[in-house]
Amino acid sequence: MWLFLGIIFSLGVLIPGKHSLKLQYDRDQVLHIVPETFQQVQHLQHLCSSLLLDLWKPLLPEDIWAGEDLHIRVPAPLVQEVKDSLDQHMISYKVLISDVRELVDQSMRRERSSHTQVPEGYIYTQYHPMEEIYQWMTQIQKSNSELVTQHYLGKTTENRTMYYLQISQPSDKTKKIIWMDCGIHAREWISPAFCQWFVKEILQNYKSDPKISRFLKNLDLYILPVLNIDGYIYSWEKDRLWRKNRSPHMNGTCYGTDLNRNFNSSWGSIGVSYNCSSEIFCGSGPESEPETRAMAQFIERKKSDILCYLTIHSYGQYILTPYGSTTKPPSNSEELMCVAKKASAALMGKYGTRYEVGSTSLILYSNSGSSRDWAHMIGIPFSYTFELRDKGTHGFVLPPDQIQPTCEETMLAVTTIIDYIDQKYFPGGAVMLTSGSLGLSLCLTVVLTWTVS
């Protein structure tokens, strides 16, 4: 009986209708466990697999290790049974989230702006459904037509249009590109919120901020606010914790591919599932999904001009470098790490938030088919994944009151990376070193093995 309930409640019982997700996750809890012995690890792996519990960290039962954090969402009907089982095996736990639905409701609470005009009346400190993000993109272009253009990227599984924004100062010279995408995983709402914040900050400050005005002379910014549009809409309308896209499999008996396991970088080799019900189902082949294919084909065409690839996720507070599929470091690993540490230090300077820096396979878990690894493998020298706040207190359901501080500190990290790249590849336009850029100059002593095409 418990196994049946586990399957039903872990997968979620969806009630038709736009607001059905309000009824989900009522009294579900998220538990934090740090197993101490191999026997405890084995029991936890069995518990998670047999009850199909929703692992938030790590994503696979086989990635549960002694001494490492484990975050599990336990459906309300199973909470007591799971806790009793943990107690019987003398496994300590802490309740991170006592009622997931409370956080879900909080993340969807929305102010109504008294202004009808976007972007002036746009509220960047709340989460926005896709319809409003589409409107925001259109209006941000109209209001900043001298700098911003909106471009077609492709179509989603459900035939929605994917657009990216290009921020570019007019110039006679050929400029290089910084790419940033957000929202590859539907439930990570802080990610699209940051992409929007980033665009706002660049447009508001490029005339007054010498760092931004300098790098915009040499670099164009390409921003994809939501990559997984279908999944994002589904997370608003049906299932707040939905992760994947919405491609149907097995004659419509299960849905979704993890787009960050679907790129052509050691695809399907490690840290994935071939079960379409899994959160980390890698698809039927590399770039099998239209969203992945649209972005990959575009970046392939532009790769000789792209100096940096940034992909924004949550949660965990990491800046991750390639690779996830191997512990063998990339040839410019020392420089990648140096720049990431500078970015992490800049971020921490705002609110004291600590980010861990390193390759995915060494400090998080192994995975294959990620966009970050793929971007580096095709020759983009700087490639990073940001895992934004927090470390599990709210997990994927970060409250709206944390949007502003999260975005403010992340902005410092991202502009630190862009500024470093600008100074490396365009040294002729160097400005007088400030204390911040002096710190960055330490990285310039690293032996640089990458050149621009």
Side-chain angles (χ1 to χ4, degrees):
M1 176 65 177
W2 282 121
L3 176 58
F4 172 74
L5 282 173
I7 294 171
I8 292 296
F9 283 96
S10 294
L11 294 180
V13 180
L14 298 183
I15 301 169
K18 191 164 186 175
H19 303 291
S20 61
L21 82 172
K22 292 263 186 190
L23 304 175
Q24 289 181 304
Y25 310 119
D26 189 25
R27 293 176 292 113
D28 285 12
Q29 294 190 350
V30 176
L31 304 183
H32 175 210
I33 302 164
V34 182
E36 297 173 355
T37 66
F38 178 65
Q39 288 73 23
Q40 290 183 351
V41 167
Q42 282 187 313
H43 178 69
L44 288 165
Q45 288 175 332
H46 172 73
L47 199 65
C48 292
S49 298
S50 61
L51 295 179
L52 294 181
L53 298 179
D54 182 13
L55 273 75
W56 283 16
K57 181 183 181 182
L59 296 170
L60 281 172
E62 52 262 44
D63 287 329
I64 298 172
W65 297 96
E68 298 291 333
D69 290 334
L70 170 64
H71 300 164
I72 320 171
R73 179 180 64 84
V74 183
L78 297 179
V79 166
Q80 196 54 54
E81 188 82 357
V82 168
K83 288 180 178 178
D84 289 346
S85 178
L86 295 175
D87 290 338
Q88 287 166 14
H89 289 80
M90 300 181 70
I91 300 173
S92 301
Y93 63 87
K94 181 171 74 174
V95 177
L96 276 181
I97 302 173
S98 59
D99 187 346
V100 173
R101 197 196 70 165
E102 278 188 17
L103 280 182
V104 170
D105 290 349
Q106 192 179 338
S107 70
M108 300 193 72
R109 233 170 259 141
R110 305 171 40 65
E111 297 173 47
R112 284 293 167 198
S113 171
S114 57
H115 301 281
T116 55
Q117 189 63 35
V118 178
E120 289 80 2
Y122 200 73
I123 301 170
Y124 288 90
T125 53
Q126 68 182 25
Y127 297 116
H128 291 271
M130 195 64 219
E131 183 182 353
E132 292 180 12
I133 296 175
Y134 273 134
Q135 293 169 356
W136 169 82
M137 292 178 76
T138 301
Q139 290 296 333
I140 210 87
Q141 178 193 240
K142 287 181 180 176
S143 303
N144 301 272
S145 55
E146 76 288 354
L147 213 62
V148 181
T149 48
Q150 177 176 293
H151 301 272
Y152 173 87
L153 184 66
K155 291 283 191 178
T156 68
T157 297
E158 295 179 343
N159 206 36
R160 294 184 175 96
T161 305
M162 304 167 67
Y163 296 108
Y164 68 91
L165 295 176
Q166 178 179 343
I167 300 178
S168 176
Q169 278 195 323
S171 174
D172 294 335
K173 62 182 177 184
T174 302
K175 293 197 285 185
K176 296 299 180 180
I177 295 168
I178 306 291
W179 171 277
M180 181 165 65
D181 59 65
C182 293
I184 195 170
H185 291 141
R187 63 190 176 188
E188 299 167 10
W189 286 8
I190 188 60
S191 169
F194 175 69
C195 259
Q196 294 166 80
W197 185 279
F198 176 81
V199 170
K200 167 186 76 81
E201 286 293 302
I202 294 293
L203 297 177
Q204 284 181 355
N205 298 307
Y206 76 96
K207 290 179 181 175
S208 57
D209 186 314
K211 182 193 287 188
I212 296 174
S213 61
R214 181 182 180 278
F215 66 58
L216 279 184
K217 289 186 175 74
N218 303 312
L219 301 166
D220 287 346
L221 309 176
Y222 287 50
I223 302 102
L224 179 60
V226 185
L227 169 55
N228 181 9
I229 293 171
D230 297 342
Y232 186 70
I233 290 172
Y234 195 80
S235 75
W236 272 87
E237 296 185 355
K238 294 292 176 65
D239 183 349
R240 173 62 183 85
L241 295 177
W242 187 259
R243 170 183 168 92
K244 303 181 288 180
N245 77 344
R246 291 294 300 162
S247 57
H249 302 280
M250 306 273 294
N251 295 319
T253 57
C254 63
Y255 284 82
T257 294
D258 183 346
L259 298 179
N260 204 40
R261 301 292 186 277
N262 191 238
F263 284 81
N264 194 12
S265 50
S266 303
W267 178 86
S269 60
I270 192 169
V272 301
S273 173
Y274 294 102
N275 178 353
C276 61
S277 296
S278 168
E279 295 282 32
I280 51 173
F281 174 55
C282 58
S284 58
E287 297 176 19
S288 61
E289 307 307 299
E291 298 90 346
T292 312
R293 201 159 53 247
M295 192 173 92
Q297 289 174 355
F298 177 81
I299 289 177
E300 275 279 3
R301 291 196 301 271
K302 296 276 189 181
K303 67 182 179 183
S304 61
D305 289 323
I306 300 176
L307 297 179
C308 180
Y309 173 84
L310 301 172
T311 183
I312 312 299
H313 295 241
S314 75
Y315 63 93
Q317 296 173 196
Y318 298 98
I319 302 176
L320 300 170
T321 64
Y323 294 108
S325 56
T326 175
T327 55
K328 182 182 177 182
S331 58
N332 65 333
S333 175
E334 189 178 356
E335 186 181 18
L336 281 167
M337 285 294 294
C338 185
V339 176
K341 285 175 180 175
K342 296 297 179 188
S344 175
L347 186 153
M348 189 168 72
K350 184 68 176 174
Y351 294 110
T353 310
R354 293 184 178 274
Y355 271 54
E356 193 174 349
V357 173
S359 73
T360 307
S361 57
L362 291 177
I363 69 168
L364 195 53
Y365 46 66
S366 295
N367 64 9
S368 55
S370 74
S371 63
R372 176 205 57 248
D373 285 4
W374 171 80
H376 195 271
M377 286 176 177
I378 65 167
I380 297 172
F382 293 89
S383 184
Y384 297 104
T385 299
F386 275 74
E387 295 282 358
L388 303 186
R389 288 191 191 187
D390 52 16
K391 293 187 76 66
T393 305
H394 304 98
F396 299 115
V397 200
L398 195 70
D401 63 11
Q402 292 205 35
I403 294 174
Q404 181 167 337
T406 302
C407 289
E408 286 176 342
E409 65 192 9
T410 309
M411 190 76 195
L412 294 173
V414 169
T415 53
T416 293
I417 293 171
I418 298 173
D419 187 51
Y420 173 82
I421 291 167
D422 181 44
Q423 292 196 45
K424 173 183 176 178
Y425 291 100
F426 302 94
V431 293
M432 186 182 297
L433 289 177
T434 62
S435 58
S437 55
L438 186 60
L440 282 175
S441 69
L442 296 174
C443 278
L444 296 172
T445 60
V446 176
V447 178
L448 306 178
T449 57
W450 285 82
T451 56
V452 190
S453 302

